Amino acid sequence: MLRWIVFLIVFIIMDLYAFQAFKTITKNNWMYLLYWLLSVLVVGNFIYSYAGFNRSNGFSHANAYAFGFLLAIIIPKMVLLIGMFAEDIFRVPMAAYRYFTEGEAAKGNYLASRRKFISQIALGIAAIPLTSIIYGIYKGKYNYKVLKYTLNFEDLPDAFDGYKITQISDIHSGSFDNLDKLNYAVNLINEQQSDVILFTGDMVNNKADELLPYMNVFNKLQAKDGMYSVLGNHDYGDYARWESEEAKHQNLETLKALQKELGFDLLLNESRFLEKNGERIALVGVENWGVGGFKQAGDLNKASKQIKENDFKILMSHDPTHWEKQVIKHPYHYHLTLSGHTHGMQFGIEIPGWIKWSPIKWRYKYWAGIYKEMGQYLNVNRGFGYLAFPGRVGIWPEITVIELKKGAAIS
């Protein structure tokens, strides 16, 4: 209860500051009423959705939209708060000075009026996150981007020169709310005509049955050399409440069976070989391995037991911290590791060749795109789906296409 009281107090203070800026652009009382009504509805809906919320009960669409709409109004109001408070840093001391120097001569009007242009500048800046978040909720989460990379390897088997891999990650099927957009995305994956499709974990948010409504969509995925997958941290059902350990175990078994039905070969600390014209590359898949409280079921040594040190290797590992903590320095040389997990926080700014930024960079060293360390590559996919916040702002859902080329690595 205390946290909700604190939340309301902070929000009211923020709203009062924001309202002062809002009053500089209209004198219409009906607009004032609309302003406060919108605030009450959004905050009331958020409290209603989360007052008894327990993550283990699952994260519904109602929860997601309540959170999304709160962000849509609270971040712009934070911008206005900063703008208005910055002005008060000068207004309040000046009012105190006038009080002690002018006294009755000021006729009680010690506090100078707000300058209209400052309020309007703050409103203009606040409109940027407002429109961005609204766009992210209604359009951005399905704004699929195909990102293509060409990676060169001197020891790539000749038969695999030009071999194309499509990577998808973090489907989070329990979050979807638009079947048509999902069909479009699956068709977009197939249009890449890659040799193999690799899925790097988090098929669901919590429970296997989240995938059921979309089986007839994902079963359209196809690649001539097959499809392979690994588990992500959400796939184990660790964040849901189960009536028994047996129920939790059965949920995971059901998810494994559903992935097989879709045509995925699920690698559980295992390896496979992709063969072509008498040559081969090793495909290694580990279970989830992460830090900061995430499950560490991945066993790289076990997964690599059937391969040789001089094999060309592609590793599928959901969490990029695994690459940082174990893979790079492993005695075996893993030429390419494919990960996901971070979603790029579903929020950031990316202008290719200019800027790539997201707050997630303060949590993960490797959070989106291609990285190279010690002659080994990592690609962190930004995710196919979304979680918690029902949208994406600046960090769009990703389909990665990687072409392997024979030749000297390009710096």
Side-chain angles (χ1 to χ4, degrees), residues 269-286:
N269 294 324
E270 300 172 278
S271 63
R272 303 285 188 270
F273 287 104
L274 301 175
E275 299 187 4
K276 190 174 182 181
N277 297 337
E279 296 183 299
R280 71 182 191 179
I281 60 177
L283 181 62
V284 183
V286 297

Side-chain angles (χ1 to χ4, degrees), residues 66-112:
F67 177 59
F69 291 142
L70 180 73
L71 285 181
I73 68 167
I74 206 169
I75 293 180
K77 288 179 180 181
M78 288 175 65
V79 172
L80 294 175
L81 171 65
I82 293 170
M84 297 300 97
F85 187 75
E87 186 181 14
D88 282 348
I89 291 175
F90 299 97
R91 289 174 73 228
V92 174
M94 184 59 67
Y97 174 79
R98 293 188 65 192
Y99 175 79
F100 287 109
T101 58
E102 298 181 27
E104 293 185 3
K107 298 180 180 181
N109 297 320
Y110 305 111
L111 191 64

Side-chain angles (χ1 to χ4, degrees), residues 250-268:
Q250 185 55 53
N251 176 74
L252 180 56
E253 293 304 308
T254 300
L255 181 60
K256 292 176 183 178
L258 290 176
Q259 290 206 30
K260 183 177 181 180
E261 187 177 336
L262 290 174
F264 284 100
D265 183 355
L266 178 62
L267 304 184
L268 302 168

Side-chain angles (χ1 to χ4, degrees), residues 166-196:
T166 287
Q167 180 199 2
I168 54 176
S169 190
D170 299 89
I171 286 176
H172 289 285
S173 54
S175 298
F176 294 126
D177 57 11
N178 191 317
L179 198 59
D180 290 339
K181 295 294 186 181
L182 199 55
N183 270 299
Y184 162 78
V186 168
N187 290 335
L188 190 59
I189 293 171
N190 287 335
E191 285 174 10
Q192 306 313 309
Q193 297 184 332
S194 291
D195 296 285
V196 67

Side-chain angles (χ1 to χ4, degrees), residues 177-359:
D177 57 11
N178 191 317
L179 198 59
D180 290 339
K181 295 294 186 181
L182 199 55
N183 270 299
Y184 162 78
V186 168
N187 290 335
L188 190 59
I189 293 171
N190 287 335
E191 285 174 10
Q192 306 313 309
Q193 297 184 332
S194 291
D195 296 285
V196 67
I197 293 175
L198 305 180
F199 171 65
T200 48
D202 278 359
M203 183 68 78
V204 297
N205 295 340
N206 291 300
K207 298 183 178 181
D209 59 12
E210 296 168 16
L211 183 57
L212 294 177
Y214 310 106
M215 291 293 290
N216 289 333
V217 178
F218 289 117
N219 67 6
K220 297 175 184 175
L221 289 170
Q222 53 187 337
K224 67 177 184 178
D225 289 345
M227 305 192 300
Y228 299 85
S229 64
V230 293
L231 296 174
N233 56 296
H234 281 265
D235 293 323
Y236 296 91
D238 288 341
Y239 310 126
R241 179 180 296 171
W242 303 97
E243 60 270 20
S244 66
E245 281 299 315
E246 175 57 31
K248 180 180 177 182
H249 172 75
Q250 185 55 53
N251 176 74
L252 180 56
E253 293 304 308
T254 300
L255 181 60
K256 292 176 183 178
L258 290 176
Q259 290 206 30
K260 183 177 181 180
E261 187 177 336
L262 290 174
F264 284 100
D265 183 355
L266 178 62
L267 304 184
L268 302 168
N269 294 324
E270 300 172 278
S271 63
R272 303 285 188 270
F273 287 104
L274 301 175
E275 299 187 4
K276 190 174 182 181
N277 297 337
E279 296 183 299
R280 71 182 191 179
I281 60 177
L283 181 62
V284 183
V286 297
E287 294 195 49
N288 191 78
W289 193 100
V291 298
F294 291 108
K295 182 182 287 292
Q296 294 188 346
D299 188 332
L300 186 55
N301 290 327
K302 179 181 177 182
S304 303
K305 196 172 182 179
Q306 304 301 321
I307 67 176
K308 297 179 180 179
E309 186 174 354
N310 62 350
D311 282 324
F312 186 92
K313 308 171 198 67
I314 298 174
L315 173 65
M316 301 166 64
S317 182
H318 178 69
D319 191 321
T321 56
H322 188 216
W323 190 69
E324 176 186 359
K325 301 296 184 182
Q326 290 192 344
V327 177
I328 297 175
K329 298 178 181 179
H330 194 275
Y332 277 19
H333 181 90
Y334 294 87
H335 299 74
L336 172 63
T337 298
L338 303 176
S339 298
H341 182 62
T342 72
H343 299 207
M345 202 175 168
Q346 298 168 212
F347 174 83
I349 302 171
E350 285 198 86
I351 303 175
W354 290 86
I355 185 172
K356 184 177 78 172
W357 177 88
S358 168

